[in-house]
Amino acid sequence: MARETPAGDLRLANLTKRFGVFTAVDDLSLTIGQGSFFALLGASGCGKTTTLRMIAGLEEPTSGQVLLGDRDITRLRPYKRPVNTVFQSYALFPHLSIFENVAFGLRRRGIRSVDDEVTRMLSLVQLDGYGNRRPAQLSGGQQQRVALARALINRPQVLLLDEPLGALDLKLRRQMQIELKRIQTEVGITFVHVTHDQEEAMTMADTVAVMNAGRIEQLGAPADIYEFPATAFVANFLGQSNLLAGEATGVGGGDVAVTAHGTRFSVPAGRSRAEHGPVHLGVRPEKLILVGSADQVPAGHQHVTGIVTDASYVGVSTQYLVRTGWGTELSVFAANSGTSARVAVGSEAVAYWDPRHAFLLPRDAADTDRTSPVLDEPVGASS
Amino acid sequence: MTLLAPTGSGQPPPAPPAARSGRRRLLPYLLLLPGAAWLLIFFGVPLVQLAAASLYDPSGSLSTGYAMTWAVSNYPDVLQAYWPQFLRSFGYAGLALVLALLLGYPLAYAIAQKAGRWNNLLLVCVVAPMFTSFLVRTLAWKTILSDNGALVGLLRDVHLLAPDGRLLATPFAVVLGLTYNFLPFLVLPLYASLERLDHRLLEAATDLYASPVQAFRRVTLPLSMPGLVAGTLLFFIPASGDYINAELLGTPNEYMIGNVIDSAFLVRLDYPQGAALSFLLMAAILAVVFGYLRRAGTEEVV
Ligand SMILES: Nc1ncnc2c1ncn2[C@@H]1O[C@H](COP(=O)(O)OP(=O)(O)O)[C@@H](O)[C@H]1O
Ligand SMILES: [Mg+2]
């Protein structure tokens, strides 16, 4: 099966793309391990597609390099790269049958007998028997799978997926996520998956890179990024966070002391990215626990007091908004585990947390508290 | 999820009453009526008359009158007399078509895919010559190609043309004229096809190991086939029946079948011969078109 020379890691070195004066991708450097499932996560317009297009060779970098193993492929023509793409728009050939669409890459490389391979690939994406149809006769989800089969059949060293699930409805999207992950494990090809859906990135990828305005804000395993985000942007793009503006006053006894809104808090030094000066003290909504009064807060925990202004019951949890004394509304998710009573809107409440669940990020002096609104399903803004 | 699926617009609309559906079925035919009547009167009737004329006694004349003798022999007679002009017509039109394709395909492609905001202006440029009459344009070429014109002088100076060589009154001039005059008929349908071509498909082809040549062969060309077929026919049919270009830019040695028909009707006043030639030309063109459509049709399927 393996037609390619032994593959290697995909490396982007100081990759930059400018369109006129606008910098779409800004000095991007990262290494994607061979055989890994890598997700590039970012809001619409942050430069994800441009990055993929440079890897595929469809866009020429303004500067920087793309390396595959030891090979510099920056200036290699796209049809000479062992890289295939599942396009955001699928880009299936309307004049060819599904069979010929899938066989396209093999035929261009002069491979004569393609029947077995195409049949096998169609059944891998569960489209047995669809070979004679035209793309226009398939549903969106089926077209997406054809696009996947058409790319995968070439056994590229790297498969690029540009928001391939964006056009699917939620149920099919979840199904395809599992499917894609299964296929990736099965074929062992490096997948670079672009998405603006943080849940998709987290469930599928081994490594997630959070991208913002052409730069990578943070890169790591999904759990690591989620538990200890590197910037305020990441903290609120990957899930939600309550970020309180404060001043760090130095390390003492393994903890960093913080003063925020007149109250003293502390965060373990290991979870602090700043020890002095303006900081954001961050706590995830699900790490906050709501009780009626301060004497119910267990020892060693920290708390803020406020008024419950909103409670939305969403089945698995109840999402509260608690307005603090200084006016910021904190989000609190209380799991619907049946162990705690619901708190009424309008009543006074205390939100407490374990300092080991908090994190400390450097903050621009001008920045204030940051809490994100309660979002439902991450909405698929198209790009 | 599927539980909620069929809650669309509720009830299907009630079936329309029979009378309305009857009128609705008639509507397309009513819309066809003016066109059909026009065709019948101005095409069908003259066609029958022409068919009759092609079977008149060839020894008749306009002054003595024609007798209907079912003279089928008119057909082999004219074919024997004028087969060189027949061949020349299709030869010149074919050559002009090849030239026009070489010029027109890249032109249409560039306007459709590369010209960006200039594409409308460029399209107007393609059509602009049509704003003047066909005759005037051809006469202009006569001036350009004339023996004491600048072009011939230049070609003689650089020895591309013998000192007594000429452009006007040669097959070259006629083919050039045909190419020039019918080029827009090829370019416009091609442009319409190529303009709809999604460049992302070409990127996908390139991503799937197709070199630029292969991408053209496997994606661009098949997807522009409808425009290519339409354009080729719109070019070839009038070009092979044309007589102006041979008349103005050629000599009797370059005469095409159009010139023969022209002189049969207007100079020699030999109506049976002119009619028989016209029918033969029509039959030949139809044969070429059907042969071409069958081939082009299967090509697209493969
Ligand atoms: N060909 C181009 N010319 C000019 N600007 C472009 C071009 N392609 C992309 N951009 C700009 O670069 C930015 C990043 O685009 P893109 O990589 O497509 O974002 P994403 O895929 O993350 O949504 C966008 O602001 C977009 O407008
Ligand atoms: Mg994109």
Side-chain angles (χ1 to χ4, degrees):
Chain A
M1 222 19 22
R3 283 190 206 97
E4 308 299 345
T5 49
D9 296 349
L10 173 67
R11 279 201 297 136
L12 309 183
N14 309 101
L15 205 60
T16 300
K17 178 71 191 181
R18 285 191 201 95
F19 295 108
V21 292
F22 177 76
T23 306
V25 176
D26 193 1
D27 199 34
L28 200 73
S29 293
L30 56 87
T31 301
I32 300 171
Q34 183 185 348
S36 65
F37 199 127
F38 185 92
L40 206 52
L41 176 67
S44 184
C46 73
K48 306 180 300 290
T49 297
T50 308
T51 306
L52 281 200
R53 287 171 60 81
M54 286 193 284
I55 301 174
L58 299 172
E59 203 85 69
E60 191 157 334
T62 309
S63 64
Q65 287 173 300
V66 181
L67 300 129
L68 201 51
D70 301 329
R71 205 160 142 227
D72 183 349
I73 60 168
T74 317
R75 311 273 159 216
L76 206 60
R77 313 287 297 149
Y79 55 91
K80 295 196 171 146
R81 299 189 186 202
V83 173
N84 289 113
T85 311
V86 178
F87 292 90
Q88 197 165 6
S89 58
Y90 308 154
L92 300 179
F93 303 119
H95 59 297
L96 298 178
S97 65
I98 299 307
F99 184 97
E100 284 304 323
N101 263 281
V102 175
F104 194 90
L106 295 183
R107 292 209 195 277
R108 297 294 80 75
R109 287 186 296 165
I111 294 161
R112 285 268 156 261
S113 54
V114 297
D115 288 23
D116 291 349
E117 195 104 345
V118 173
T119 312
R120 223 178 51 77
M121 203 41 82
L122 282 177
S123 90
L124 182 75
V125 296
Q126 297 171 359
L127 283 176
D128 314 72
Y130 282 83
N132 289 325
R133 301 214 195 169
R134 293 285 169 111
Q137 293 170 299
L138 302 190
S139 71
Q142 291 170 328
Q143 291 186 21
Q144 190 273 319
R145 282 179 277 164
V146 176
L148 182 64
R150 184 178 73 169
L152 263 183
I153 196 169
N154 304 295
R155 307 259 153 194
Q157 283 179 39
V158 179
L159 185 73
L160 307 174
L161 303 111
D162 192 358
E163 309 208 21
L165 310 181
L168 309 184
D169 62 55
L170 189 63
K171 188 183 171 194
L172 195 53
R173 201 153 80 213
R174 293 280 173 266
Q175 209 174 316
M176 283 307 301
Q177 286 171 5
I178 296 165
E179 201 64 357
L180 267 181
K181 185 73 195 156
R182 176 181 68 79
I183 290 172
Q184 195 266 341
T185 317
E186 223 170 285
V187 297
I189 291 171
T190 311
F191 274 38
V192 182
H193 183 103
V194 156
T195 178
H196 60 253
D197 177 344
Q198 43 117 351
E199 202 172 322
E200 185 171 299
M202 291 208 282
T203 48
M204 297 172 82
D206 313 321
T207 311
V208 174
V210 182
M211 210 171 159
N212 183 26
R215 291 174 162 278
I216 299 239
E217 296 253 336
Q218 191 176 6
L219 185 149
D224 295 346
I225 298 183
Y226 187 83
E227 296 301 337
F228 192 17
T231 63
F233 174 83
V234 174
N236 272 321
F237 192 77
L238 208 67
Q240 295 171 235
S241 297
N242 298 299
L243 299 179
L244 303 181
E247 297 289 328
T249 51
V251 197
D255 287 339
V256 178
V258 186
T259 312
H261 305 289
T263 314
R264 292 184 60 84
F265 300 101
S266 69
V267 177
R271 293 188 53 80
S272 303
R273 297 192 190 268
E275 286 163 4
H276 293 280
V279 287
H280 269 133
L281 167 65
V283 191
R284 296 277 186 190
E286 71 276 13
K287 300 281 166 50
L288 288 175
I289 298 161
L290 224 47
V291 290
S293 64
D295 41 278
Q296 286 170 269
V297 175
H301 286 58
Q302 298 177 344
H303 69 273
V304 294
T305 311
I307 309 279
V308 176
T309 55
D310 186 59
S312 16
Y313 179 75
V314 294
V316 292
S317 67
T318 305
Q319 309 189 348
Y320 295 99
L321 284 183
V322 178
R323 177 173 296 131
T324 57
W326 60 93
T328 299
E329 287 194 321
L330 303 180
S331 310
V332 180
F333 295 170
N336 187 12
S337 54
T339 51
S340 54
R342 292 186 59 190
V343 185
V345 174
S347 62
E348 188 163 302
V350 173
Y352 72 83
W353 68 91
D354 185 334
R356 286 169 300 175
H357 290 152
F359 52 85
L360 216 53
L361 307 175
R363 166 178 72 95
D364 278 346
D367 232 0
T368 52
D369 288 356
R370 279 218 222 168
T371 54
S372 50
V374 179
L375 291 175
D376 297 327
E377 198 51 43
V379 193
S382 58
S383 69
Chain B
M1 135 129 222
T2 41
L3 280 175
L4 295 173
T7 55
S9 51
Q11 295 291 316
R20 256 189 72 202
S21 83
R23 191 156 356 129
R24 225 182 251 179
R25 236 179 302 140
L26 270 182
L27 188 64
Y29 297 102
L30 286 174
L31 289 173
L32 264 177
L33 202 61
W38 178 276
L39 267 182
L40 188 73
I41 297 166
F42 295 108
F43 183 72
V45 172
L47 196 69
V48 171
Q49 206 167 6
L50 197 66
S54 75
L55 299 173
Y56 286 160
D57 179 3
S59 58
S61 77
L62 213 52
S63 44
T64 59
Y66 286 109
M68 180 52 149
T69 57
W70 299 101
V72 180
S73 61
N74 283 343
Y75 285 87
D77 289 349
V78 291
L79 201 54
Q80 185 154 33
Y82 297 111
W83 63 266
Q85 283 85 347
F86 255 109
L87 281 188
R88 203 176 288 139
S89 286
F90 290 114
Y92 285 0
L95 261 177
L97 177 62
V98 172
L99 283 177
L101 280 173
L102 291 178
L103 284 171
Y105 202 106
L107 180 65
Y109 186 87
I111 297 176
Q113 292 282 325
K114 307 284 179 203
R117 64 206 172 91
W118 298 104
N119 72 340
N120 281 333
L121 184 68
L122 287 170
L123 270 186
V124 170
C125 289
V126 169
V127 188
M130 306 271 223
F131 296 160
T132 63
S133 114
F134 190 84
L135 273 176
V136 170
R137 278 180 281 146
T138 314
L139 284 169
W141 273 108
K142 193 169 178 161
T143 314
I144 294 170
L145 300 176
S146 70
D147 290 348
N148 34 26
L151 184 62
V152 168
L154 181 73
L155 290 178
R156 282 177 182 163
D157 287 348
V158 299
H159 300 289
L160 278 176
L161 213 57
D164 60 341
R166 45 191 322 215
L167 293 176
L168 196 63
T170 60
F172 171 81
V174 179
V175 171
L176 186 81
L178 290 172
T179 310
Y180 166 78
N181 274 313
F182 297 105
L183 190 63
F185 296 103
L186 177 69
V187 170
L188 290 182
L190 254 183
Y191 166 81
S193 264
L194 286 167
E195 197 251 350
R196 267 179 288 139
L197 180 72
D198 185 349
H199 77 277
R200 289 176 297 187
L201 294 178
L202 296 180
E203 288 190 340
T206 318
D207 188 64
L208 292 163
Y209 311 102
S211 64
V213 173
Q214 285 179 321
F216 174 79
R217 165 94 183 70
R218 301 292 166 181
V219 179
T220 309
L221 191 58
L223 286 174
S224 64
M225 224 13 151
L228 191 60
V229 170
T232 325
L233 292 180
L234 283 179
F235 182 98
F236 186 80
I237 295 172
S240 54
D242 179 73
Y243 65 98
I244 302 279
N245 286 284
E247 172 95 36
L248 296 183
L249 304 175
T251 67
N253 290 330
E254 282 81 40
Y255 272 8
M256 297 164 65
I257 199 64
N259 303 88
V260 180
I261 296 174
D262 172 52
S263 86
F265 278 118
L266 300 179
V267 182
R268 289 178 281 126
L269 303 180
D270 189 341
Y271 278 26
Q273 207 177 59
L277 280 168
S278 300
F279 264 92
L280 280 177
L281 178 63
M282 200 151 71
I285 287 177
L286 280 177
V288 170
V289 168
F290 276 108
Y292 175 68
L293 280 182
R294 284 189 62 161
R295 281 221 44 194
T298 49
E299 186 110 315
E300 216 177 342
V301 174
V302 171

